[in-house]
């Protein structure tokens, strides 16, 4: 069997805690990219800040590790300028839904051909345990000392409400299942959200591997991802039973496809300064 | 020499801009040099708005306070600006009170709207006004009518004819002999060919530089750049994205630049505040970017439609920790074209951000030129690489690492965290020092790139300015010299880093007077800090309006008289 080219020869020291849910996501992503036949130079991973955002450093690919919450605008521009590259934006729930919430909403509106992977552990790990946008009500931390008062952000419901092109949820405790979802998402043409339930072994004592294993199940044959209302209904399910899988799909033209009807895609890559004829034409217009 | 100042005023939505735009272009066509300056409020209809138009048979770069002709589209204009009209100057409009006591003015009473209605629609009121103004000035009617045909051709023959009728009606009603010598009928080799404003010019500069990506959030006064590039997007293949906010705008531009586009973003000071995080990202990742800050008064939202030069110290220092960047401030629209081209070249050569300080005055003022000259600027092409050894931040003696874009087998890894030579994040303090020194090391070479300021000698005193004050300072110098004061003039359009050898240059200047549109004299402060040479005499204006030629000349003379700072 051929070696996975996304595995690093000279491994970078991984800064995650032992047992961290991020390891499952890293494995699933590496394998998904390999099994889909990509080579590292064809892939750009864009991330924000936080423990999850370090993931691109732990595999072989092009990397833009930017600012907290800002991975999506960066990824959008890279993909639109270079549509031949596979672009993945990945980061944690604080990064994507907290600081990057506005960008998340507007990216859905634009529908660029991106895969967005969110390591959703319902806590801020790197800053040591504050509530995140997806923390449950009552979650206690040093900051939310009396319990979190706010209603958690529901990324799936919001994405479906905004008619996102592809909406899915995975669980990092089931690498095989997650890989399957990631392969679908990476192959999808349009904005694909994969919210990954990912236990934080250091700061989230509630949503543990065991807690998830008791609750998660995959959406069955009876679920029709093209049925938006049904998808919305399933996205509200949270508690005793937590569904995983592809909730919603709606294939529609991507931002790039619309743009390239006006501008040849090859033009967006810098080709040199404007020609003398172009300059002369512009001068003529000014006269 | 012909040197006329006209002011057209009215409520927003009444057509002040239409009248002045058509008039400015007609004047240019007729062989005059034109300078026109908009003054408007942050509202869509109502309020008070006006345009200064100055025309001359020599190049003009700034507005004057005292008027030869005031055109009133509403009564408020008459009330507010009547006192600016020179003795024996003209006031045109329907609101001129009959038997006004100040009979030192010529009144020409025409009810533009009433005349237009008689022609079928009040929309023709503006053309009646244009006709009347052209008769007062004595513009050749054939040239003006040919221009009307061009402008309205798309709207059909009937619209063309109606506008011509309105224009002729305006001319007929004036009933005086033209006050200026007939121009235009003679084809002059010295007549201006181009008329453009700063935003158009900034857009043109980007277009000529091969900019392929522009993202911005609309903000006065830089929205015009986005409008211009959007108007050329399809023809030249430029992606123009209206971002959800300025943070997204700069991050998009950085993503595009990383991917291999030539990327620019534009905003005003408030938006630049939001972009500062991204500016630091550009510095840390060493991804090239050009950012335009169209200055307006603040802090906060301030005066959205007015002008200012008060973001200088902010943009020079913006961002946490320390990193080098270029800061430019174009002197006028022609210069703006070249400054943008140079900014693109330098941001790519040094892989540091380049900031262009524009302002509302530069952005909106229209200036006419005989020729537009393009400076020779080297092209800069980046490529993909197949080297498996490639490291984005390879240490080199200059601090500049070879840059490639993704797509080749060489992986391009960039990081906002401190990183090693291959772009991977690190907490190794030795690597940190090496990387920080690598970035800072570019500074010395960047300083060598910077040009000495423009200098025109004078024995008695020296006016010093930067950015859009070029024009007014140049004209003030000319007027002072005409009065026997041998004034010199120093102008900076490359602000940061300051070039080597500046102190030696500055110490030789007789009586330097720094002129700026901010409270403290920020550039003077910066010069003092960097050159250890002090500039005690400063003239500042910070009410949101630009310096006018005659006003500034008087203030300079006061300073010379008192010998102290004002």
């Amino acid at each position: 069997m051929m070696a996975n080219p996304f595995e690093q020869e000279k491994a970078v020291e991984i800064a995650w805690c032992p047992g961290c849910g991020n390891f499952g996501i890293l494995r699933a992503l590496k394998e998904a990219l390999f099994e889909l036949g990509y080579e590292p130079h064809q892939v750009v991973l864009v991330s924000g800040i936080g423990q999850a955002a370090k993931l691109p450093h732990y595999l072989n690919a092009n990397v833009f590790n930017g600012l907290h919450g800002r991975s999506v605008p960066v990824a959008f521009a890279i993909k639109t300028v270079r549509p031949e590259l596979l672009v993945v934006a990945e980061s944690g729930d604080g990064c994507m839904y907290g600081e990057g919430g506005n960008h998340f909403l507007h990216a859905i509106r634009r529908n660029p051909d991106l895969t967005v992977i969110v390591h959703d552990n319902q806590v801020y790990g790197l800053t040591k345990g504050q509530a995140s946008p997806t923390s449950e009500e009552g979650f206690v931390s040093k900051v939310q000392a009396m319990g979190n008062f706010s209603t958690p952000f529901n990324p799936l419901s919001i994405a479906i409400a905004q008619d996102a092109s592809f909406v899915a949820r995975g669980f990092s405790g089931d690498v095989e299942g997650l890989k399957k979802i990631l392969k679908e998402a990476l192959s999808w043409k349009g904005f694909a959200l994969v919210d990954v339930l990912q236990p934080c072994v250091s700061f989230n004592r509630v949503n543990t591997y065991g807690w998830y294993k008791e609750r998660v199940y995959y959406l069955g044959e009876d679920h029709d991802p093209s049925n938006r209302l049904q998808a919305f209904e399933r996205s509200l399910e949270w508690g005793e039973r937590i569904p995983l899988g592809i909730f919603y799909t709606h294939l529609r033209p991507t931002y790039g496809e619309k743009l390239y009807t006006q501008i040849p895609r090859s033009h967006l890559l810098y080709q040199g300064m404007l020609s003398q004829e172009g300059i002369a034409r512009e001068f003529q217009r000014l006269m | 020499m012909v040197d006329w100042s006209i002011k057209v005023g009215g409520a927003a939505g009444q057509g002040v801009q239409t009248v002045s735009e058509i008039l400015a272009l007609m004047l240019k066509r007729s062989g005059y040099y034109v300078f026109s300056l908009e003054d408007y409020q942050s509202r869509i209809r109502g309020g008070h708005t006006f345009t200064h138009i100055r025309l001359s048979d020599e190049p003009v770069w700034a507005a004057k306070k005292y008027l030869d002709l005031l055109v009133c589209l509403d009564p408020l204009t008459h009330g507010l600006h009547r006192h600016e009209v020179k003795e024996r100057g003209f006031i045109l409009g329907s609101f001129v009170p009959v038997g006004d006591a100040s009979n030192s003015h010529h009144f020409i009473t025409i009810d533009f709207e009433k005349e237009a209605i008689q022609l079928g629609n009040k929309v023709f009121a503006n053309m009646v006004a244009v006709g009347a103004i052209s008769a007062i000035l004595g513009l050749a009617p054939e040239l003006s009518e040919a221009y009307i045909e061009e402008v309205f051709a798309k709207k059909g023959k009937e619209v063309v004819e109606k506008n011509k009728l309105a224009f002729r009606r305006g001319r007929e009603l004036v009933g005086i002999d033209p006050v200026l010598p007939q121009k235009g009928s003679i084809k002059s080799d010295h007549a201006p060919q181009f008329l453009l404003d700063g935003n158009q010019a900034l857009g043109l500069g980007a277009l000529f530089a091969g900019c392929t990506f522009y993202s911005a959030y609309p903000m006065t006064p830089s929205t015009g750049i986005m409008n211009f590039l959007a108007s050329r997007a399809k023809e030249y293949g430029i992606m123009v994205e209206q971002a959800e906010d300025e943070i997204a705008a700069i991050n998009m531009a950085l993503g595009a630049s990383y991917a291999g586009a030539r990327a620019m973003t534009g905003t005003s000071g408030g938006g630049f505040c939001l972009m500062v995080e991204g500016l630091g990202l550009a510095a840390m990742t060493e991804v090239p970017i050009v950012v335009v800050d169209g200055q307006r008064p603040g802090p906060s939202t301030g005066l959205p439609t007015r002008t200012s030069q008060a973001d200088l110290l902010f943009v020079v220092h913006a961002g946490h920790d320390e990193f080098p960047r270029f800061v430019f401030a174009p002197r006028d629209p022609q210069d703006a074209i070249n400054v943008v081209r140079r900014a693109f070249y330098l941001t790519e050569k040094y892989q540091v951000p380049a900031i262009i300080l524009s302002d509302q005055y530069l952005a909106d003022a229209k200036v006419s030129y005989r020729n537009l000259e393009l400076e020779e600027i080297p092209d800069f092409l980046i490529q993909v690489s197949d080297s498996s050894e490639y490291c984005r931040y390879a240490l080199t003696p200059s601090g500049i690492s070879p840059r490639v874009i993704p797509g080749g087998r060489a992986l391009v890894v960039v990081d906002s965290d401190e990183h090693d030579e291959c772009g991977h994040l690190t907490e190794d303090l030795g690597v940190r020092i090496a990387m920080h020194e690598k970035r800072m090391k570019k500074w010395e070479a960047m300083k060598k790139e910077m040009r000495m300021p423009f200098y025109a000698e004078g024995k008695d005193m020296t006016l010093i300015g930067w950015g859009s004050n070029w024009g007014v300072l140049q004209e003030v110098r000319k007027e002072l010299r005409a009065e026997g004061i041998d004034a010199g003039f120093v102008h900076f359009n490359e602000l940061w880093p300051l070039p080597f050898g500046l102190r030696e240059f500055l110490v030789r200047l007789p009586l330097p007077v720094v002129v700026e549109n901010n409270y403290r004299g920020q550039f003077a402060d910066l010069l003092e800090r960097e050159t250890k040479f002090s500039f005690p005499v400063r003239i500042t204006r910070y009410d949101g309006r630009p310096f006018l030629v005659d006003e500034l000349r008087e203030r300079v003379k006061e300073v010379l008289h008192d010998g102290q700072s004002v």
Side-chain angles (χ1 to χ4, degrees), chain B residues 78-79 82-83 91 95-107:
Chain B
H78 181 258
R82 182 179 48 184
H83 61 278
I91 299 179
F95 307 101
V96 181
V98 181
D100 189 308
S102 52
N103 56 6
S104 63
H105 298 154
H106 297 288
F107 297 117

Side-chain angles (χ1 to χ4, degrees), chain B residues 177-191:
Chain B
D177 290 333
V179 293
L180 296 182
Q182 289 274 323
K183 290 209 60 153
S185 42
I186 315 140
K187 181 121 177 77
S188 160
D189 287 345
H190 300 287

